Amino acid sequence: EVQLVESGGGLVQAGGSLRLSCAASGFAFSDYAIGWFRQAPGKGREAVSSVTNDNDTYYADSVKGRFTISTDNAKNMVYLEMNDLKPEDTAVYYCACLVGWVTAQAAFGYEFDYWGQGTQVTVSS
């Protein structure tokens, strides 16, 4: 059974940084994409960033240049380094897994197969 567990959220002032972690277990896929999504109160889910098993990456325009996605395959971890945080980055952040080969950008056109429970990020002004 695949499980994804996010951690690292919290409260930070505008301009600050956080690093989110996504721990994956029960993983046995050769081709996959891991995506980070976020959902702010009263808003729809937004794609943030993704990485594939062959290290293709994608960033939404809203986070490009501020967020960095990375992986530690030995530990089955995916990270989202978030710098220069803004109040509009406030949301619950989710990591999710899409099984199969896909480019990092195209991944967000598909329904992801597995989801974590989310971690809250709050950026104060």
Side-chain angles (χ1 to χ4, degrees), residues 32-35 37 47 49-52 56 58 96-98 100-112:
Y32 58 87
I34 300 293
F37 296 79
S49 181
S50 61
V51 61
T52 67
D56 185 32
Y58 168 79
C97 175
L98 174 66
W101 188 90
V102 67
T103 66
Q105 182 173 3
F108 289 119
Y110 295 88
E111 189 67 31
F112 277 61

Side-chain angles (χ1 to χ4, degrees), residues 72-125:
D72 184 335
N73 293 329
K75 297 181 180 179
N76 282 349
M77 297 290 293
V78 179
Y79 304 101
L80 187 68
E81 183 76 32
M82 305 186 297
N83 298 314
D84 190 23
L85 283 161
K86 304 175 181 181
E88 51 264 42
D89 294 317
T90 295
V92 178
Y93 283 71
Y94 300 89
C95 69
C97 175
L98 174 66
V99 179
W101 188 90
V102 67
T103 66
Q105 182 173 3
F108 289 119
Y110 295 88
E111 189 67 31
F112 277 61
D113 299 290
Y114 303 97
W115 291 82
Q117 83 290 346
T119 185
Q120 175 71 47
V121 171
T122 303
V123 184
S124 63
S125 57

Side-chain angles (χ1 to χ4, degrees), residues 25-50:
S25 61
F27 231 67
F29 312 117
S30 56
D31 294 323
Y32 58 87
I34 300 293
W36 284 98
F37 296 79
R38 65 187 181 186
Q39 188 162 18
K43 295 187 176 181
R45 190 172 64 198
E46 178 188 10
V48 175
S49 181
S50 61

Side-chain angles (χ1 to χ4, degrees), residues 3 10 61 109:
Q3 288 192 327
D61 288 342

Side-chain angles (χ1 to χ4, degrees), residues 51-69:
V51 61
T52 67
N53 57 286
D54 51 11
N55 289 317
D56 185 32
T57 59
Y58 168 79
Y59 298 93
D61 288 342
S62 58
V63 305
K64 200 173 294 183
R66 301 187 297 123
F67 290 13
T68 302
I69 193 169

